[in-house]
Amino acid sequence: MKYIFLLSVLISFSIFSCKPTDPGNSTTTSTTGKPPVKKEEVSVDFNADSAYFFVAKQVSFGPRVPGTLAHGKCADYLLKTLDRFCDTTILQEDDMRSANGKIVHIKNLMGIFNPEAKKRILLAAHYDTRPNADEDKVSPNTPADGANDGASGVGVLLELARQFSKLNTSYGVDIIFFDAEDMGDRRGLSETWCLGSQYWAGNLHKTGYYANEGILLDMVGAKDATFAYEVNSLSFNQPLVVGVWQLGQKLGYGKYFINIDGNPVIDDHQFVQRITGIPMIDIIEYSFMTRSFGEYWHTHDDNMDVIDKETLKAVGHTVLHWTVQRDRNN
Ligand SMILES: [Zn+2]
């Protein structure tokens, strides 16, 4: 998405409730038996070529609009790929009503490392694409490729999953690919956005689930992107925002992670934080040109041409190191 709320509007934002359903009817779990590897035996390094491949692969299915064949094929691919790397995978699916009143079948996809660990990190991105490129001046009624708005965050997280599978972290790491983030009404309620994360937060895959910290990635692959402090993230978990930005700068990515306040953004992290209490932050592009997202946003320019490996590397490398630090301090 995302819809940017003015701060004054945000203050009057009301907490919403999600209809509880029985997750037992909608959740499928797969566990793979992987031999344990000692931490000292492996080294990890974020591979931007691999992340780029994962982005391009998603785009190759076509726009991943919920309910379409391309969306279903991409969901299958993502779940299979998570299953290659993670200890456990979970498919959570159900029907929800979208902003236009139609029922949409959503699928949230999870990959889990160390399911029994008490200390946990939640990493997430959305994989759906918006039904229409409604900011496009020429063709606003057809869907865009969603290379950055959708595929980039997932591409980074798949590469992180590949690295975590070598790292054999003792920390619990949960990766979620949320569905139906981008079906919201531009002038409507915030609850019309982020359907997958609202569903997951109200129907947790595991009773009593909690993560100590969470990071959401959204639009993290555009060339020369800048990431400002997302204002809601500061209120949810300011130390984490500042810590991740400082780490990114220390690793040499200061031109990407900039120390200014961006806009408050309605995104999946909001619903996760509000419903579950997990203090989740959002790494999301802030453009000085538009004072919003990049100019490609919700247009047909959001294709592989905007994706740059250096940006994927800046975000992926930073989140990888942050996770390794958490694990080593455990
Ligand atoms: Zn979007």
Side-chain angles (χ1 to χ4, degrees):
M1 92 105 168
K2 344 298 22 133
Y3 187 82
I4 297 180
F5 253 25
L6 295 174
L7 201 54
S8 58
V9 179
L10 189 71
I11 291 165
S12 64
F13 196 96
S14 59
I15 296 173
F16 86 107
S17 61
C18 192
K19 181 173 74 68
T21 59
D22 178 6
N25 291 334
S26 60
T27 303
T28 311
T29 303
S30 156
T31 304
T32 51
K34 294 194 176 72
V37 182
K38 285 184 184 168
K39 279 184 197 179
E40 309 79 71
E41 295 172 1
V42 295
S43 64
V44 291
D45 186 20
F46 188 86
N47 186 319
D49 290 332
S50 173
Y52 186 91
F53 168 84
F54 288 132
V55 176
K57 181 71 182 177
Q58 293 170 79
V59 171
S60 75
F61 290 107
R64 282 80 65 211
V65 179
T68 64
L69 191 59
H71 175 276
K73 284 184 176 175
C74 185
D76 289 347
Y77 167 77
L78 295 177
L79 200 59
K80 274 185 197 150
T81 308
L82 284 173
D83 200 45
R84 280 170 55 198
F85 305 132
C86 301
D87 297 324
T88 304
T89 54
I90 293 175
L91 166 64
Q92 184 186 54
E93 56 185 329
D94 209 340
D95 292 333
M96 293 188 81
R97 191 173 296 280
S98 67
N100 64 11
K102 290 185 181 160
I103 297 295
V104 58
H105 190 74
I106 63 148
K107 296 179 178 180
N108 290 326
L109 318 170
M110 290 192 72
I112 295 171
F113 293 94
N114 289 332
E116 302 308 323
K118 292 276 184 288
K119 289 188 177 174
R120 309 202 68 81
I121 293 167
L122 175 63
L123 303 174
H126 77 90
Y127 74 97
D128 64 299
T129 52
R130 187 155 179 75
N132 295 306
D134 44 10
E135 298 289 331
D136 195 278
K137 291 186 171 58
V138 178
S139 301
N141 298 316
T142 54
D145 288 349
N148 202 33
D149 191 358
S152 65
V154 171
V156 168
L157 290 182
L158 282 178
E159 169 57 9
L160 286 174
R162 196 174 74 87
Q163 297 300 333
F164 294 153
S165 70
K166 295 188 282 182
L167 182 67
N168 194 35
T169 171
S170 61
Y171 230 80
V173 179
D174 305 300
I175 294 174
I176 306 187
F177 299 150
F178 289 126
D179 200 357
E181 186 273 350
D182 223 342
M183 301 188 80
D185 185 336
R186 292 161 74 192
R187 296 172 198 84
L189 294 171
S190 59
E191 287 86 348
T192 62
W193 301 89
C194 307
L195 300 183
S197 56
Q198 292 186 56
Y199 184 86
W200 175 80
N203 302 275
L204 294 171
H205 62 285
K206 185 176 179 181
T207 305
Y209 173 82
Y210 186 74
N212 301 78
E213 295 169 301
I215 299 180
L216 178 69
L217 307 181
D218 200 349
M219 293 189 259
V220 291
K223 184 171 174 53
D224 298 327
T226 44
F227 304 104
Y229 300 148
E230 190 272 324
V231 171
N232 295 321
S233 301
L234 290 175
S235 66
F236 298 157
N237 195 339
Q238 182 164 347
L240 180 58
V241 175
V242 174
V244 168
W245 261 242
Q246 284 179 344
L247 177 60
Q249 290 156 4
K250 192 173 142 195
L251 291 170
Y253 305 118
K255 80 168 194 167
Y256 298 96
F257 290 94
I258 55 174
N259 297 330
I260 64 163
D261 287 357
N263 295 308
V265 176
I266 300 295
D267 207 346
D268 292 313
H269 68 312
Q270 278 226 346
F271 295 99
V272 170
Q273 203 282 338
R274 284 170 186 273
I275 301 168
T276 70
I278 295 168
M280 190 173 211
I281 69 166
D282 195 5
I283 301 177
I284 187 165
E285 182 176 356
Y286 172 83
S287 164
F288 286 104
M289 293 285 288
T290 64
R291 295 185 180 275
S292 173
F293 310 118
E295 289 178 322
Y296 59 82
W297 175 68
H298 289 185
T299 77
H300 291 284
D301 290 335
D302 186 359
N303 55 45
M304 287 307 293
D305 290 345
V306 304
I307 301 297
D308 186 81
K309 290 178 186 174
E310 288 303 309
T311 311
L312 296 171
K313 175 98 180 175
V315 174
H317 191 191
T318 300
V319 176
L320 177 61
H321 272 245
W322 173 77
T323 309
V324 169
Q325 279 185 0
R326 285 292 187 273
D327 188 42
R328 295 209 170 131
N329 294 333
N330 189 20

